Amino acid sequence: MRYVTTFSTEIFSLLNSIIYFHKAIQELQRARDGSSFASFLYAIIGAIGTFLVAVALSTAESWKPLFHRYVRMGLTEYAAAISIIVFVGVPHIGELAILDKQTLQVSTSFRPTSPDRTVFFVQFWNLPIGWIFAAIIPGLIISVLFFFDHEVSSIICTIDRYGTKKPGGFAWDIVLLGTTTAMCGILGIPPANGLLPQAPLHSESLMHTVKEEVRTSMDDGEEKTDTKEVRRVYEQRWSHFLHAGGILVFTSPPFMHVLGLTPTSVLGGLFLFMGEQSLSVNPVLYRFFYMLTPPPELPSLPNTIRSYWSIHMYTLTQIVVTVGIFAITLTKAAPAFPIIIIALVPIRLLLMNKIWSRDTLRYVDAWACRDGTPEDDDDRLSSVVVEDTQVSRIEPHDTTNPLPV
């Protein structure tokens, strides 16, 4: 990750948003194929309603002076959960209760859901040796995908506006993720991991306003103290624990039956909300809006960049690459898409500097895990090489063997 730039991470984040939108459409397609036309129309209403209510509640922090501050914070932080609960209950009201709506399929007994299996774990000791070695390839692909997803989410969660830094404990998260993935393999279920956009949403929900004193020196030597409001992330571990406890509760009876009452259209609305939240903080979206903005209305650029044309082409390249990778995920080559994401790293460092100017790349791109840009590092390296060359050209005067007269 030391050589990854925001060029790759922004594409990966945009790809996650598109996948969430696509999953929402798939849920509606299943509702159309497996239910009546009336149920399909309500599925559209339920998905869009879940999405709109969640988006509206996520802005509750700005509803001041309406409600108490803690009420607004609660509505903002649990916007998606509140919206889901509302639209899980709406289909059971009045004549909507008779619709043949599709709901989540849950197990009614403690046994494998597949009728072909009698035990929960895979009897891997009975598998052919060739299958075990063949599993190394998808295992490596999944490792790359999960590692990149984890690192990108940690980068987004530690941007400047949050005021947080990535601690060493993140390495233990990788260990835990690897352990749970191995357990999924033994149990014969797909490994599940998705930190985008849940992790940034969690950091966003932990932000709160605090008052800080700022001291400024006056011309007469006196100090003036002002108070200003700043946004900070309140780091704690209770919400992580409570969310994990809630998941554990709803995967056990009788709460699993309650989970089975959830219409699949609500999942579609949740996917729309998660995709929107991820897209709303992606710089690609704002640069795309620049492409639609009249040139006189655009922000001013540094003197080294003549126009927005090169920036627009950079943004368009990111969008085209993302759409291309998404198209690959719809084919049989879908498991290989993490390799394409990783391949973008050397392409950015070795090829793109031959297409775009250094000043343009310095303006739109940067290192993902550290300060500065690749162009800044190249400049520092060039200056060091020049200094070393100049020093080597200065030969010391030899006084032990003077030249003959």
Side-chain angles (χ1 to χ4, degrees):
M1 293 300 294
R2 179 178 177 81
Y3 300 100
V4 176
T5 66
T6 55
F7 172 76
S8 302
T9 58
E10 290 171 359
I11 289 177
F12 187 71
S13 180
L14 181 60
L15 177 65
N16 275 272
S17 301
I18 296 176
I19 290 176
Y20 276 122
F21 293 143
H22 181 249
K23 291 296 182 184
I25 296 174
Q26 284 184 321
E27 292 296 336
L28 295 179
Q29 286 178 334
R30 294 190 186 101
R32 183 195 62 183
D33 298 335
S35 58
S36 63
F37 185 69
S39 297
F40 171 59
L41 291 180
Y42 176 75
I44 296 177
I45 296 174
I48 297 177
T50 304
F51 166 66
L52 293 179
V53 171
V55 171
L57 293 178
S58 65
T59 63
E61 194 72 36
S62 62
W63 293 0
K64 188 178 180 180
L66 189 64
F67 302 128
H68 191 274
R69 182 168 68 94
Y70 292 120
V71 175
R72 296 196 304 270
M73 290 175 59
L75 293 175
T76 301
E77 295 171 6
Y78 293 95
I82 295 173
S83 180
I84 290 173
I85 293 173
V86 169
F87 280 90
V88 166
V90 166
H92 300 278
I93 300 175
E95 295 183 359
L96 293 176
I98 64 175
L99 290 177
D100 54 334
K101 53 186 175 295
Q102 294 186 356
T103 58
L104 294 179
Q105 296 182 0
V106 296
S107 178
T108 57
S109 61
F110 191 71
R111 60 181 179 83
T113 55
S114 175
D116 299 331
R117 296 176 57 182
T118 57
V119 293
F120 283 99
F121 53 86
V122 176
Q123 299 178 1
F124 52 87
W125 54 86
N126 294 328
L127 294 175
I129 299 297
W131 288 19
I132 297 176
F133 284 99
I136 295 177
I137 298 176
L140 290 175
I141 295 176
I142 292 175
S143 300
V144 171
L145 173 61
F146 282 7
F147 179 78
F148 200 82
D149 179 72
H150 183 278
E151 291 297 317
V152 170
S153 65
S154 66
I155 291 168
I156 298 177
C157 292
T158 55
I159 58 178
D160 294 338
R161 69 185 302 265
Y162 296 139
T164 56
K165 292 185 177 180
K166 178 181 175 181
F170 270 74
W172 289 108
D173 288 353
I174 294 292
V175 174
L176 177 61
L177 179 59
T179 303
T180 55
T181 303
M183 293 175 60
C184 288
I186 295 174
L187 294 175
I189 58 178
N193 177 56
L195 297 178
L196 296 173
Q198 294 92 324
L201 286 176
H202 190 232
S203 294
E204 197 71 31
S205 67
L206 296 178
M207 291 192 71
H208 64 289
T209 304
V210 297
K211 294 183 178 180
E212 292 185 352
E213 293 185 352
V214 179
R215 295 182 178 181
T216 55
S217 300
M218 306 297 291
D219 295 336
D220 55 1
E222 297 182 359
E223 289 188 350
K224 180 182 178 181
T225 303
D226 296 327
T227 302
K228 68 174 184 178
E229 292 184 348
V230 295
R231 301 278 288 173
R232 292 286 185 267
V233 171
Y234 178 73
E235 299 186 64
Q236 42 76 42
R237 297 191 179 275
W238 284 106
S239 57
H240 307 72
F241 177 75
L242 293 176
H243 291 168
I247 293 173
L248 180 62
V249 167
F250 278 93
T251 55
S252 58
F255 294 98
M256 187 177 291
H257 175 71
V258 177
L259 191 64
L261 300 177
T262 306
T264 56
S265 60
V266 173
L267 283 184
L270 177 62
F271 291 149
L272 288 175
F273 175 70
M274 296 172 68
E276 183 272 336
Q277 292 292 299
S278 176
L279 183 62
S280 63
V281 296
N282 196 322
V284 176
L285 177 65
Y286 299 99
R287 291 200 300 268
F288 175 73
F289 288 157
Y290 287 166
M291 297 172 64
L292 307 178
T293 304
E297 303 295 332
L298 291 172
S300 58
L301 292 172
N303 296 330
T304 54
I305 303 177
R306 296 181 179 180
S307 67
Y308 269 91
W309 176 253
S310 57
I311 297 176
H312 293 339
M313 294 304 298
Y314 177 89
T315 305
L316 186 61
T317 300
Q318 286 184 300
I319 296 174
V320 171
V321 170
T322 305
V323 173
I325 297 175
F326 173 71
I328 293 175
T329 62
L330 303 178
T331 65
K332 294 182 179 180
F337 87 90
I339 299 177
I340 303 176
I341 297 290
I342 297 299
L344 295 177
V345 176
I347 290 176
R348 161 62 182 93
L349 298 177
L350 303 176
L351 180 61
M352 292 183 61
N353 54 8
K354 296 181 171 67
I355 303 175
W356 283 271
S357 66
R358 297 169 59 84
D359 295 317
T360 300
L361 294 176
R362 185 181 284 111
Y363 182 77
V364 296
D365 197 15
W367 292 119
C369 299
R370 49 196 172 105
D371 297 333
T373 67
E375 287 65 38
D376 293 337
D377 290 358
D378 290 343
D379 292 343
R380 283 193 292 268
L381 181 61
S382 299
S383 62
V384 171
V385 172
V386 170
E387 291 178 359
D388 292 342
T389 303
Q390 291 176 349
V391 171
S392 62
R393 290 177 178 176
I394 303 176
E395 299 179 356
H397 181 63
D398 189 0
T399 57
T400 59
N401 297 311
L403 294 174
V405 179

